[in-house]
Amino acid sequence: MRTIGEPWPELNDGIFYSDRVRPSDSGLTLIEYYSTKYNSSAPLQGWLQRIENGQITVDGTIVKDPTKVLSAASELQYHRLPWREPDAPYLLGVLFEDDHLIALNKPSGLQVLPGGLFQHRTVLTQLQWYASKQSPIYACQETNPVPVHRLGRGTSGILLCAKTKLAKARISAYFADGTSVVGSSRIEDANINKTRKISKTYRALASGILRENEVIINQPIGMLKYPGVAKGLYVASPSGKLALSKVHVLERDIQYNRTLVEVEIQSGRPHQIRIHLSFIGHPLIGDPLYVSGGQPQCFDPETVEESFAQDGGYQRPLNPVPGDCGYHLHAHRLVFSHPLTNKVTEIIAPLPSILTREESKEIEQSSSVQDVK
């Protein structure tokens, strides 16, 4: 299996965020505008610091007066200064590639898309660098390669990416179709994945001993307000969106009180496997966030850290957040109908040693890609 990837620079380039003042916001002061519209980015004192540092311009002019009154249609720009992002791996294995798709073996600890402290050290950045070096190939393509689904930062394994707009649209539709089927199918239907054009199978190490050989989990997943997560935290919630996971036991480790499982997911809700396994009382070994019941381990909705870091943003929360690593979850197998050729293709990512069967002495191939007849 060949690899791609370049080492990260010490600092990223920072980011520029642009806004146009709406008529309804005319008359607000500069500090009122940013502290109310972007209060999840920084507390009031943090935005004051950013303004006083000269990081915000109004119609192209740096403004350090937080009481500056804004007019409708004014152009605002906030410059987030360069910073050193947390350590992250950068090498990606290439499991499959043709003119339309590229499937990567993502390591645990690498974020897929920009977010939070990781704006540069992402899979997307490595794909952009890779594309720039393949200019003769990509010159005629409609887009550069982009991920068509996500894996959690702590999750390893297969990440499918599209090189063209057509491939992206069709693969995205496959995923959307699979999720929509959940709402119209009977949970008891064990062959539900046969109706799909794409299916994903994961390996995971769950705490405790699952008694049943197969478990189907259909707990809805919703969101709640959670300190340190701007958009909210995904949790098991009766009022959430439908989700379906099929869990198959591969091996029970009585000595260490853990179970090796294979999980097929019909829907693709964020953190679905982590939430579903914890919901039934078997959270992933090493998961710092989710505990039994599909809820966060530490949660006090009244506790919000209002202090701010050097760049004006919120301090890193003390409680665990979704991007924290430590659990064992691997996207092991992907089967899909190729968006251009319609050939059914199987991609397998090599397993981390901790997710292989102890009872089996077989050595897994480093990777395999084949057409399924």
Side-chain angles (χ1 to χ4, degrees):
M1 178 173 59
R2 68 187 179 93
T3 59
I4 63 172
E6 299 181 23
W8 307 115
E10 184 69 18
L11 296 176
N12 61 29
D13 297 328
I15 306 175
F16 288 90
Y17 298 93
S18 298
D19 276 310
R20 180 187 292 270
V21 179
R22 297 178 179 179
S24 58
D25 294 323
S26 177
L28 291 178
T29 64
L30 191 60
I31 186 60
E32 287 173 339
Y33 183 91
Y34 278 100
S35 64
T36 56
K37 288 190 171 295
Y38 298 104
N39 63 339
S40 63
S41 170
L44 174 65
Q45 292 299 318
W47 279 115
L48 283 172
Q49 174 182 293
R50 291 170 173 179
I51 294 171
E52 292 167 0
N53 283 347
Q55 293 173 244
I56 296 176
T57 62
V58 179
D59 294 326
T61 301
I62 292 175
V63 175
K64 295 186 178 183
D65 179 7
T67 64
K68 162 80 174 177
V69 177
L70 301 177
S71 301
S74 288
E75 298 285 346
L76 306 180
Q77 190 173 74
Y78 157 58
H79 181 204
R80 186 176 180 181
L81 300 176
W83 72 94
R84 188 188 189 282
E85 300 182 15
D87 292 337
Y90 64 89
L91 289 177
L92 294 153
V94 177
L95 300 168
F96 171 85
E97 184 174 16
D98 64 13
D99 291 340
H100 312 283
L101 302 169
I102 179 170
L104 303 172
N105 187 19
K106 186 189 85 69
S108 174
L110 178 59
Q111 190 151 306
V112 174
L113 298 176
L117 292 176
F118 293 93
Q119 294 292 327
H120 188 78
R121 297 185 179 190
T122 66
V123 172
L124 181 60
T125 298
Q126 292 293 350
L127 280 172
Q128 291 170 342
W129 287 346
Y130 175 68
S132 69
K133 289 187 173 183
Q134 311 294 318
S135 54
I137 298 176
Y138 288 103
C140 62
Q141 303 288 354
E142 295 170 295
T143 64
N144 287 329
V146 293
V148 291
H149 63 101
R150 296 195 189 194
L151 293 179
R153 188 159 67 89
T155 304
S156 58
I158 302 168
L159 180 70
L160 190 61
C161 307
K163 293 181 178 179
T164 65
K165 290 181 179 179
L166 180 58
K168 180 183 177 182
R170 290 183 176 175
I171 293 292
S172 296
Y174 294 170
F175 282 114
D177 289 345
T179 298
S180 66
V181 168
V182 173
S184 59
S185 299
R186 295 182 60 195
I187 299 305
E188 293 82 1
D189 183 3
N191 296 316
I192 194 169
N193 276 325
K194 288 185 178 180
T195 65
R196 303 192 62 187
K197 288 191 173 182
I198 193 164
S199 65
K200 293 189 291 183
T201 305
Y202 291 74
R203 284 281 183 98
L205 194 60
S207 60
I209 304 300
L210 275 76
R211 294 183 179 181
E212 299 87 357
N213 289 330
E214 286 193 351
V215 181
I216 294 178
I217 309 169
N218 63 327
Q219 171 64 30
I221 293 175
M223 296 181 71
L224 56 74
K225 187 176 180 181
Y226 185 80
V229 182
K231 296 181 179 179
L233 179 69
Y234 288 93
V235 297
S237 170
S239 61
K241 294 182 178 180
L242 293 171
L244 176 62
S245 301
K246 182 179 177 182
V247 181
H248 174 68
V249 171
L250 298 176
E251 188 174 81
R252 297 177 176 90
D253 187 341
I254 306 298
Q255 180 180 359
Y256 292 101
N257 191 35
R258 61 191 187 185
T259 305
L260 180 65
V261 297
E262 184 175 85
V263 185
E264 295 178 56
I265 59 171
Q266 177 70 23
S267 51
R269 308 300 180 197
H271 316 300
Q272 177 173 322
I273 294 175
R274 298 169 66 187
I275 294 170
H276 271 180
L277 283 171
S278 67
F279 176 75
I280 64 170
H282 297 278
L284 298 186
I285 293 286
D287 193 329
L289 178 61
Y290 293 105
V291 294
S292 293
Q295 301 296 315
Q297 181 173 214
C298 305
F299 178 54
D300 180 356
E302 302 302 323
T303 302
V304 178
E305 179 58 63
E306 289 293 337
S307 62
F308 57 96
Q310 185 176 358
D311 69 346
Y314 287 104
Q315 294 279 8
R316 200 278 188 200
L318 297 177
N319 289 346
V321 293
D324 292 345
C325 304
Y327 55 90
H328 303 287
L329 179 60
H330 183 75
H332 179 47
R333 180 173 179 263
L334 181 71
V335 180
F336 63 97
S337 177
H338 193 284
L340 276 299
T341 68
N342 288 323
K343 287 185 178 180
V344 179
T345 302
E346 178 185 56
I347 301 175
I348 296 177
L351 290 166
S353 58
I354 197 169
L355 295 179
T356 59
R357 295 191 190 203
E358 291 296 329
E359 64 185 23
S360 174
K361 302 301 180 183
E362 297 178 0
I363 300 175
E364 295 229 355
Q365 295 180 350
S366 59
S367 65
S368 68
V369 178
Q370 63 185 34
D371 292 334
V372 181
K373 298 181 179 179

